[in-house]
Amino acid sequence: MHKDFYYFGIFFFGLSVLAALFLSIMFFQIGYLTYQLESFGSWFWVEVGLALITYVILLQYFKQKSYRLVYTIFMISIIASVIQYFTTYLFVVLMMREIMTFHLISIVISMLTSLVFGISLIVSKAVKSPWLKTEGVLFILLTLVSAFVLIWSLNLLGMQLSANVEIVSQWVNLAASLMPVPLIVLFYKEHKALSGVQSTGRLKYAELMSALGGILILSGLVIAMKMSQQSYWYTHVSPEEQALVDKFESKTFTDSKDNSLDYLFMKPLEYDSTQNYPLVICLHGGPKSAKLKRVIVTEPAPLLSKPLNREKYPAFLFVPQAPPGKSWGGMPYAQPIDALLMETIDALKAEYEIDENRIYLTGISMGGFGTWYLAGTHADMFAAAIPMCGIGDTALATEMVDIPVWAFHGSEDKNVPVSGSRNMIAAIKEAGGDPKYTEFPEVAHHVWPHVQETEGVLDWLFAQKRE
């Protein structure tokens, strides 16, 4: 083997460790919200690029060492991994829920091929290398643990279990990021053994590898900075934001099964218990690691909490907080807590003078998913719905024909495809409804500034009343 080959192997294995460690740190900071960061899609392709390069390097290594069994099985494993990368991009990044079954199948096949690959490293002549043997053992252990987590996550039975799954997943991701370490040690030792051997020229593809390495480093650094900034926004609470949160009452509802839902609540300005007031339900987006941030990103709660709007539109503001791994409904890979949410609303109606004919539902991103889902599954409760950047089940469109809907989406949304809103609006119209839809050209996922500047939104919302 050429000395440069080992050099590039160490270099790219090291890069893959650093990239995976960075993503693992992101998961520890903000959990599954990492998938919803606007820059995650770009980072995904950086990691895929690194993975493909390391696959090619390993394939060439196994071929040169005449590890035929390992080479063949690893080639099959690469094909399975590439298919999984493709389905992951469609399902996680583009939010194409219809391929969920195919995505799960690709994950299972990839796990099986990884397991067989790990076994091949300890049953073939590759086992003579202690570092390849170590790599094989790690592959087997990590694949088995990942399979356990997958089965666990598909059979969630309770709120605390979901939080535990996320914690275990974070540690599994951290362990996975260190997988190339035995290979780095192996390549370093074999490179060192060649230190006294005269090389014949440069590796023929050295320039290409150097260029790819430079591109990946530069693009990775830029995207990592963007992801860090976006993560900081979700976890940092400024004094101004804290002051806004302090306007709300912090409450918790617990059902008969001890499942609890934390939420923020605000009464109407100059609340009079002898009068009825509307209730505005504000569903937040992806899970927030800092609970105080939930009101800041749960549009339109901050807007409606302003004194001028509280005076003009007196209403109860209800800002529930979904536990980690849970959703309001309609989200893939997230257990819905709509039943718990409905019980909480019933408890509020029993305690406060809420006008049951003027209960409004709104949400963005994951909250947009939830708005579509709840409007379709509990149509008899809501007087109006404002889903933003969400995807709904078109099969529920017939249930929404009598609900005033005003949906918003950005045409350049990379987190939640704009087709999610377009399809729902088309389905409701086809069913006989008359929904409103505003699409902002050249706007990505962060549409709220444009929504609140849209003339007449709040007037329209508070004018709706259920017959």
Side-chain angles (χ1 to χ4, degrees):
M1 301 291 287
H2 198 285
K3 287 192 294 184
D4 286 350
F5 173 80
Y6 289 108
Y7 166 76
F8 284 113
I10 294 170
F11 174 74
F12 283 105
F13 289 145
L15 274 185
S16 64
V17 169
L18 292 176
L21 278 175
F22 170 76
L23 192 61
S24 179
I25 292 171
M26 295 293 295
F27 274 114
F28 274 103
Q29 287 183 329
I30 60 175
Y32 294 125
L33 181 60
T34 304
Y35 293 132
Q36 297 186 26
L37 296 178
E38 292 185 15
S39 53
F40 176 76
S42 300
W43 180 262
F44 175 83
W45 289 116
V46 169
E47 290 219 278
V48 170
L50 272 172
L52 292 178
I53 292 174
T54 56
Y55 291 163
V56 171
I57 291 173
L58 270 180
L59 274 177
Q60 186 170 355
Y61 178 81
F62 293 145
K63 183 178 181 179
Q64 291 294 326
K65 292 292 184 178
S66 298
Y67 297 151
R68 295 180 180 177
L69 176 63
V70 175
Y71 178 89
T72 302
I73 294 175
F74 188 53
M75 177 66 77
I76 297 173
S77 179
I78 290 175
I79 296 173
S81 296
V82 170
I83 294 174
Q84 185 191 339
Y85 290 145
F86 178 68
T87 62
T88 298
Y89 182 77
L90 295 179
F91 186 72
V92 176
V93 180
L94 298 185
M95 301 292 287
M96 295 176 60
R97 296 185 301 163
E98 61 271 20
I99 71 159
M100 179 177 181
T101 300
F102 184 58
H103 178 54
L104 288 174
I105 292 174
S106 71
I107 292 176
V108 172
I109 293 175
S110 182
M111 285 182 174
L112 288 174
T113 56
S114 294
L115 183 63
V116 175
F117 171 64
I119 294 173
S120 71
L121 288 175
I122 61 177
V123 298
S124 66
K125 62 180 182 179
V127 75
K128 295 179 182 179
S129 168
W131 296 108
L132 286 179
K133 181 179 180 180
T134 301
E135 187 73 10
V137 172
L138 291 177
F139 253 96
I140 294 171
L141 291 176
L142 187 64
T143 302
L144 291 176
V145 173
S146 298
F148 169 75
V149 172
L150 177 63
I151 295 172
W152 191 10
S153 64
L154 293 176
N155 292 275
L156 293 175
L157 295 173
M159 211 160 286
Q160 185 59 41
L161 195 62
S162 174
N164 290 337
V165 168
E166 183 170 8
I167 292 172
V168 173
S169 298
Q170 290 170 338
W171 286 102
V172 170
N173 286 329
L174 178 61
S177 67
L178 301 176
M179 284 292 290
V181 171
L183 298 175
I184 293 175
V185 177
L186 171 66
F187 273 47
Y188 173 76
K189 287 185 173 294
E190 294 194 9
H191 177 271
K192 190 175 180 180
L194 293 175
S195 59
V197 179
Q198 183 68 33
S199 296
T200 55
R202 294 193 66 190
L203 196 65
K204 58 182 180 180
Y205 50 82
E207 290 80 5
L208 174 62
M209 298 293 275
S210 299
L212 288 175
I215 292 172
L216 287 172
I217 289 176
L218 289 176
S219 58
L221 286 174
V222 172
I223 299 169
M225 289 178 63
K226 290 182 179 179
M227 290 181 69
S228 299
Q229 290 173 349
Q230 292 162 9
S231 172
Y232 178 80
W233 186 87
Y234 281 111
T235 57
H236 175 70
V237 180
S238 68
E240 294 78 15
E241 292 168 337
Q242 178 66 60
L244 175 58
V245 173
D246 290 341
K247 293 181 180 180
F248 288 75
E249 298 178 61
S250 182
K251 293 176 172 287
T252 300
F253 171 78
T254 304
D255 67 8
S256 58
K257 298 179 181 179
D258 289 331
N259 294 319
S260 61
L261 179 67
D262 295 332
Y263 63 94
L264 296 179
F265 191 71
M266 180 180 286
K267 299 175 186 176
L269 195 64
E270 299 180 0
Y271 173 59
D272 183 352
S273 61
T274 65
Q275 297 185 27
N276 290 336
Y277 298 88
L279 172 68
V280 182
I281 303 167
C282 304
L283 303 180
H284 66 67
K288 308 297 179 290
S289 57
K291 288 187 177 181
L292 290 178
K293 287 290 287 186
R294 62 191 176 198
V295 71
I296 311 304
V297 294
T298 306
E299 299 84 357
L303 179 63
L304 289 173
S305 66
K306 293 181 177 180
L308 183 62
N309 286 326
R310 292 186 70 191
E311 182 177 349
K312 186 176 181 180
Y313 309 104
F316 293 103
L317 300 184
F318 172 49
V319 186
Q321 172 70 36
K326 305 291 184 177
S327 76
W328 312 117
M331 283 282 292
Y333 275 174
Q335 186 179 9
I337 57 167
D338 55 309
L340 181 60
L341 181 64
M342 291 299 109
E343 285 192 57
T344 308
I345 295 172
D346 288 338
L348 289 174
K349 290 192 295 184
E351 183 177 357
Y352 299 99
E353 299 302 318
I354 293 174
D355 186 346
E356 296 191 25
N357 292 320
R358 299 182 68 197
I359 298 179
Y360 307 125
L361 180 64
T362 181
I364 190 167
S365 194
M366 186 178 89
F369 279 77
T371 300
W372 284 122
Y373 179 78
L374 294 171
T377 56
H378 299 82
D380 59 340
M381 173 176 284
F382 304 111
I386 300 181
M388 296 173 281
C389 303
I391 295 177
D393 184 354
T394 53
L396 296 174
T398 55
E399 304 296 326
M400 305 182 211
V401 293
D402 295 325
I403 300 179
V405 171
W406 192 347
F408 295 88
H409 217 125
S411 64
E412 303 302 315
D413 194 333
K414 305 301 182 184
N415 296 53
V416 181
V418 68
S419 58
S421 292
R422 292 174 180 173
N423 293 341
M424 284 304 301
I425 294 298
I428 295 174
K429 287 183 177 180
E430 185 177 350
D434 186 27
K436 293 169 65 69
Y437 177 54
T438 299
E439 184 175 305
F440 302 107
E442 300 181 5
V443 174
H445 194 57
H446 190 44
V447 301
W448 175 245
H450 305 277
V451 174
Q452 67 178 345
E453 291 174 2
T454 301
E455 185 177 353
V457 174
L458 294 183
D459 288 337
W460 174 88
L461 178 67
F462 285 96
Q464 308 306 319
K465 188 172 183 179
R466 188 166 61 90
E467 297 295 335

